[in-house]
Amino acid sequence: MDLVRLSRLFSSPRPMGLSVLQCLDPLRAKWAGAREGPAWLRAMGPTGPTSAAFSSSRSQLPLCQGSQKNTHNRSSDLSQPSPMANQEEEEEESFGTLSDKYSSRRMFRKSTAQFYNLRLREQSVKEDEENELDPKSWQGRRNTPYWYFFQCKHLIKEGKLAEALDLFERQMLKEERLQPLECNYTVLIGGCGRAGYLKKAFKLYNDMKKRDLEPSDATYTALFNVCAESPWKDSALQSALKLRQQLKARNFQLNLKTYHALLKMTAMCSDLRMCFDVLKEMVHKGHAVTEETFSFLLMGCIQDKKTGFRYALQVWRQMLSLGFQPSRHIYNLLLGAARDCGLGDPDVASMLLLRPQEEMVLLQPPEGRRRARRAARARMIDGMSASLHVETLEKQLFLEPSQALERPQEPREASVSSEAQPEVETKVDPADTALASWGLEANLLTLGAVPPAVVSFGTVTTPADRLALMGGLEGFLGKMAEHGLWPDIKTLTLLAEVVEPGSPAESSLLTVLDSHQVEADVTFFNTLMRKKSKLGDLEGAKALLPVLAKRGLVPNLQTFCNLAIACHRPGDGLQLLADMKKSQMVPNTHIYSTLVNAALKKLDYTYLISILKDMRRNRVPVNEVVIRQLEFAAQYPPTFDRYKGKNTYLEKIDGFRAYYKQWLKVMPAEETPHPWQKFRTKPKGDHDSVPEAAVDGGRGGR
């Protein structure tokens, strides 16, 4: 009966037993214990009556087609473990081992916006470096190295050193890939020399040597000049001395221009003794001494602030004795020495400057006299280049006080004349103004002897006293006229700095300005205003403003800064700030510092708060000088006791301290600009690559 029912199932149009057999087929091995399945199912194999129906119904049943495939795959892979089982086993094995990735990290930091910006900046720098390594090919016309030489020279004359460096390094070397010549490097090193760009100049020099280019005399002249103009004198001196040793090792012969550049370097970076070492070497090499040589010696004299004025007068006399005609530049250097340097020991200066020139030879030892006679004979034979006896001048300049005070044995003619005249032993009274009285008669700029009544100097401390030794204003201008020279605006500005404040000579400067038809500038009038303001004459300083406007000149910030020196009262200082606001000029830090200094001397804290409020309103950055002044004003005096007694000057110090504390939190600080900052800026319209001047470090040989 069961077989009949089963046959009916398979003989129906949609046999239902097929699905059952297909589902039972994977398990038939388990049921029968063999691979073939049950015996009654084997009997109904392909030979059975239902084989045709079974085979025909296979294509008509898509219902279990997917399950058939899955079961077939499972049946074929029973011997292998399933993927799910493998994944579960791996998870069990890796449980608790994920912390091995972070076990080496001891510190965790939060990521901030600054770090993110820093990463982006580093990424952009790397991209820029990649762009520099693979520059774009040049699309324009092909130029020559000489074309770049003239273009860089033109840019340097216009003061565009950064653009000249960019043109050379980016366009010529990277884009056009031209082989530079010696003149290309020399013109750029010369431009760096005028600007004092020491590091860049020596970098160009090293690149020049790496390209196997031979430096010329102009190259070494520019290198010594950049050392002289560098703002960091110590490192510049070391670089120049190292270069000089390298040239000596190569036995390189310097020309006169290069020696002058070396002399300028020693004058600006070292002392006068090293200047004479270079001068002796220059004379030994056979180079002729010119008036330019003496100008560099005068620069070295000015570096000695204690005795530089005496040195300058001695160099001046030596120059005149050799027959050189001074230039206007040398006269300006003499005025600079009178303004900045002192006379030194008065007794030594009297022995060296008030004696006749013939007596100075007697100060030398016997060996020096023989050398002087040999130099005189060489002067007749070898000409002017060997006429300068540098050692004699050096010994006169650096004469010891003990040697100068030993009066040498006078000649017979001098002893006879001394018996006829009474000996003057008294010195000039320091309080007396005798220096100005014999100004025109005893001008130390003249080689002749001074009047016999003058035996020594009195007190020579101020620039006006030193100008009186050179004949005063009239004597100095008269000496210039003897050499066929007329003062320029720089000469008159220096004279305005050294004349006696409030004297008739100061008032006559405007007349001298008009008589010589010299065009005035703002600096000249600022100097006059500064001298009047230092005397406290605010009205006299203001009286120069109409004269300034009459000549078509516009006041600048330095003009108002000089006026601020005379603003001792709060009303004057506040009025000055109001006038600047009307003129649409923003006061700078120097003007506020001058006003703060005036308020600090009187301990006027109300005035100080008013100045700070105006400074905050204009958002003027604060420098170190202003902070130091305000810190001093905010301190209590050591003996101040508010409970012991009443101090009217310190009644408002607490209010000032409270406002000053809040004021510091909102005020910006002033950053001191680097001397080479303008050469590091990227030129407008430039390529993405930055020139070497822009990425150069801030060490600068500091």
Side-chain angles (χ1 to χ4, degrees):
M1 191 66 185
D2 295 334
L3 294 176
V4 174
R5 291 180 179 177
L6 184 61
S7 63
R8 289 178 179 176
L9 287 174
F10 285 105
S11 62
S12 61
R14 297 180 62 89
M16 299 298 295
L18 181 61
S19 62
V20 176
L21 288 176
Q22 289 176 353
C23 295
L24 295 177
D25 183 70
L27 301 178
R28 64 182 178 178
K30 293 183 180 181
W31 289 348
R35 189 175 299 177
E36 305 296 332
W40 55 272
L41 285 177
R42 288 200 305 269
M44 298 179 62
T47 60
T50 60
S51 61
F54 188 88
S55 61
S56 64
S57 64
R58 241 176 238 277
S59 60
Q60 298 178 3
L61 293 176
L63 181 64
C64 294
Q65 194 172 7
S67 62
Q68 180 185 1
K69 295 179 180 180
N70 294 337
T71 54
H72 180 71
N73 294 334
R74 282 199 299 267
S75 64
S76 61
D77 297 337
L78 279 175
S79 61
Q80 299 179 1
S82 62
M84 296 294 295
N86 292 336
Q87 184 176 0
E88 291 178 358
E89 291 178 0
E90 290 177 359
E91 290 180 356
E92 291 179 359
E93 291 176 359
S94 62
F95 180 77
T97 61
L98 296 178
S99 61
D100 295 339
K101 300 179 182 179
Y102 310 100
S103 61
S104 61
R105 295 181 60 181
R106 301 180 181 179
M107 186 180 301
F108 298 89
R109 296 179 180 176
K110 290 185 177 181
S111 178
T112 61
Q114 289 80 6
F115 291 153
Y116 182 71
N117 293 334
L118 184 60
R119 285 193 223 104
L120 291 179
R121 194 178 307 166
E122 292 176 354
Q123 184 178 0
S124 63
V125 169
K126 291 180 181 179
E127 293 177 357
D128 293 341
E129 291 177 354
E130 292 176 358
N131 293 334
E132 288 182 0
L133 293 176
D134 189 15
K136 296 181 180 179
S137 60
W138 179 249
Q139 302 295 335
R141 69 179 185 124
R142 304 294 294 181
N143 300 307
T144 62
Y146 289 102
W147 183 85
Y148 282 101
F149 165 73
F150 288 112
Q151 290 296 320
C152 292
K153 185 177 181 180
H154 178 69
L155 289 174
I156 290 172
K157 283 186 177 180
E158 293 181 352
K160 300 178 181 179
L161 178 60
E163 286 80 353
L165 291 171
D166 175 71
L167 179 68
F168 172 75
E169 294 179 340
R170 178 182 58 81
Q171 183 172 328
M172 179 180 176
L173 298 184
K174 294 182 180 179
E175 294 182 357
E176 289 205 43
R177 299 182 180 180
L178 294 176
Q179 180 66 25
L181 303 177
E182 176 269 333
C183 59
N184 297 113
Y185 282 100
T186 301
V187 69
L188 291 175
I189 294 174
C192 294
R194 298 180 188 92
Y197 201 171
L198 177 68
K199 186 176 180 180
K200 187 63 180 180
F202 275 91
K203 184 180 183 302
L204 291 171
Y205 172 65
N206 293 330
D207 293 343
M208 184 180 182
K209 293 191 297 183
K210 291 177 182 178
R211 292 181 181 270
D212 200 16
L213 296 175
E214 185 66 26
S216 62
D217 292 333
T219 308
Y220 295 118
T221 303
L223 287 173
F224 286 126
N225 186 53
V226 73
C227 295
E229 299 293 339
S230 175
W232 294 283
K233 303 302 181 184
D234 295 336
S235 62
L237 180 61
Q238 294 176 4
S239 301
L241 293 180
K242 183 178 179 181
L243 178 62
R244 187 185 179 189
Q245 292 297 328
Q246 292 176 357
L247 295 178
K248 283 185 176 181
R250 293 169 46 196
N251 198 18
F252 187 86
Q253 300 297 325
L254 305 180
N255 59 9
L256 183 59
K257 288 290 184 182
T258 309
Y259 268 114
H260 281 170
L262 180 59
L263 196 61
K264 179 182 177 182
M265 184 277 303
T266 55
M268 301 296 292
C269 302
S270 185
D271 53 2
L272 193 59
R273 291 184 182 273
M274 186 174 288
C275 291
F276 274 92
D277 293 339
V278 176
L279 182 61
K280 286 186 289 186
E281 179 183 342
M282 185 180 72
V283 173
H284 179 70
K285 295 293 183 179
H287 294 289
V289 179
T290 62
E291 64 178 30
E292 189 178 3
T293 310
F294 285 97
S295 67
F296 293 127
L297 288 178
L298 288 174
M299 289 182 186
C301 296
I302 295 176
Q303 300 302 317
D304 192 340
K305 303 303 179 183
K306 184 178 180 181
T307 326
F309 182 64
R310 173 173 68 85
Y311 293 159
L313 290 177
Q314 290 179 269
V315 172
W316 165 271
R317 290 187 168 190
Q318 184 68 33
M319 182 187 65
L320 292 183
S321 64
L322 293 175
F324 290 103
Q325 293 293 324
S327 61
R328 186 185 293 111
H329 177 59
I330 292 181
Y331 274 101
N332 292 339
L333 289 175
L334 282 176
L335 290 176
R339 179 192 61 184
D340 301 330
C341 306
L343 190 64
D345 191 352
D347 297 331
V348 177
S350 302
M351 293 294 178
L352 294 176
L353 297 177
L354 298 181
R355 286 181 179 179
Q357 194 72 13
E358 294 80 7
E359 253 184 62
M360 294 305 303
V361 184
L362 299 177
L363 291 175
Q364 307 172 24
E367 295 81 3
R369 299 176 196 173
R370 287 193 293 270
R371 290 176 185 175
R373 287 193 293 268
R374 287 197 300 268
R377 289 193 297 268
R379 183 187 311 129
M380 300 173 60
I381 299 173
D382 298 332
M384 186 60 69
S385 61
S387 63
L388 178 63
H389 200 279
V390 184
E391 295 181 359
T392 304
L393 178 60
E394 185 180 8
K395 290 179 180 179
Q396 291 179 5
L397 287 174
F398 306 111
L399 195 65
E400 297 295 333
S402 58
Q403 298 177 1
L405 295 179
E406 291 178 359
R407 189 168 183 84
Q409 184 179 0
E410 297 181 354
R412 184 174 302 177
E413 295 81 7
S415 61
V416 173
S417 61
S418 62
E419 292 177 0
Q421 296 180 358
E423 204 171 8
V424 182
E425 297 290 339
T426 59
K427 294 183 180 181
V428 179
D429 189 5
D432 195 11
T433 58
L435 290 173
S437 63
W438 53 270
L440 291 175
E441 300 178 1
N443 192 344
L444 293 182
L445 299 181
T446 307
L447 286 179
V450 297
V454 182
V455 272
S456 64
F457 297 113
T459 304
V460 183
T461 55
T462 62
D465 296 337
R466 293 187 283 271
L467 179 62
L469 293 179
M470 296 187 295
L473 177 63
E474 296 180 2
F476 189 84
L477 295 177
K479 197 66 181 175
M480 290 185 68
E482 289 181 8
H483 294 100
L485 300 174
W486 306 103
D488 58 356
I489 188 59
K490 185 176 182 180
T491 308
L492 294 175
T493 304
L494 290 171
L495 283 172
E497 292 180 353
V498 298
V499 295
E500 185 71 25
S503 61
E506 185 181 13
S507 304
S508 63
L509 282 175
L510 290 175
T511 306
V512 175
L513 189 75
D514 296 332
S515 63
H516 290 89
Q517 297 180 355
V518 179
E519 185 178 356
D521 58 357
V522 185
T523 307
F524 173 75
F525 286 98
N526 287 343
T527 305
L528 295 177
M529 288 183 185
R530 186 176 184 86
K531 293 178 71 70
K532 292 183 179 296
S533 297
K534 285 185 175 181
L535 295 177
D537 187 6
L538 180 60
E539 298 301 327
K542 287 183 178 180
L544 292 173
L545 290 176
V547 182
L548 196 70
K550 185 178 179 181
R551 295 177 181 267
L553 301 175
V554 181
N556 55 11
L557 287 176
Q558 186 65 33
T559 307
F560 289 98
C561 185
N562 294 329
L563 291 175
I565 298 175
C567 295
H568 301 298
R569 296 179 298 179
D572 298 334
L574 297 177
Q575 183 63 37
L576 177 67
L577 296 176
D579 294 341
M580 292 190 67
K581 186 176 182 180
K582 291 180 181 179
S583 303
Q584 297 181 354
M585 297 182 68
V586 180
N588 58 4
T589 311
H590 301 286
I591 295 177
Y592 284 113
S593 176
T594 305
L595 296 177
V596 167
N597 188 32
L600 183 60
K601 290 180 179 179
K602 294 186 177 182
L603 295 179
D604 193 344
Y605 292 102
T606 306
Y607 184 27
L608 274 176
I609 293 176
S610 301
I611 296 173
L612 296 185
K613 286 182 178 179
D614 192 86
M615 195 173 184
R616 179 180 179 180
R617 191 181 305 112
N618 293 322
R619 301 295 298 172
V620 178
V622 187
N623 60 1
E624 185 180 357
V625 178
V626 177
I627 293 297
R628 194 183 301 115
Q629 291 173 337
L630 296 176
E631 287 291 335
F632 179 78
Q635 292 179 358
Y636 289 108
T639 59
F640 175 68
D641 188 0
R642 69 179 66 195
Y643 303 105
K644 185 176 181 179
K646 184 177 181 181
N647 193 335
T648 57
Y649 292 100
L650 299 176
E651 285 181 351
K652 300 181 180 180
I653 188 173
D654 294 331
F656 170 74
R657 288 166 61 92
Y659 180 79
Y660 172 62
K661 184 178 180 181
Q662 299 297 326
W663 179 82
L664 281 176
K665 296 179 180 179
V666 298
M667 290 301 296
E670 182 184 27
E671 296 182 3
T672 303
H674 198 276
W676 302 334
Q677 185 66 33
K678 56 183 178 180
F679 308 124
R680 296 175 181 172
T681 55
K682 184 178 177 182
K684 294 182 180 179
D686 193 11
H687 193 258
D688 292 339
S689 62
V690 183
E692 182 65 27
V695 298
D696 195 5
R699 252 182 332 119
R702 188 183 296 275

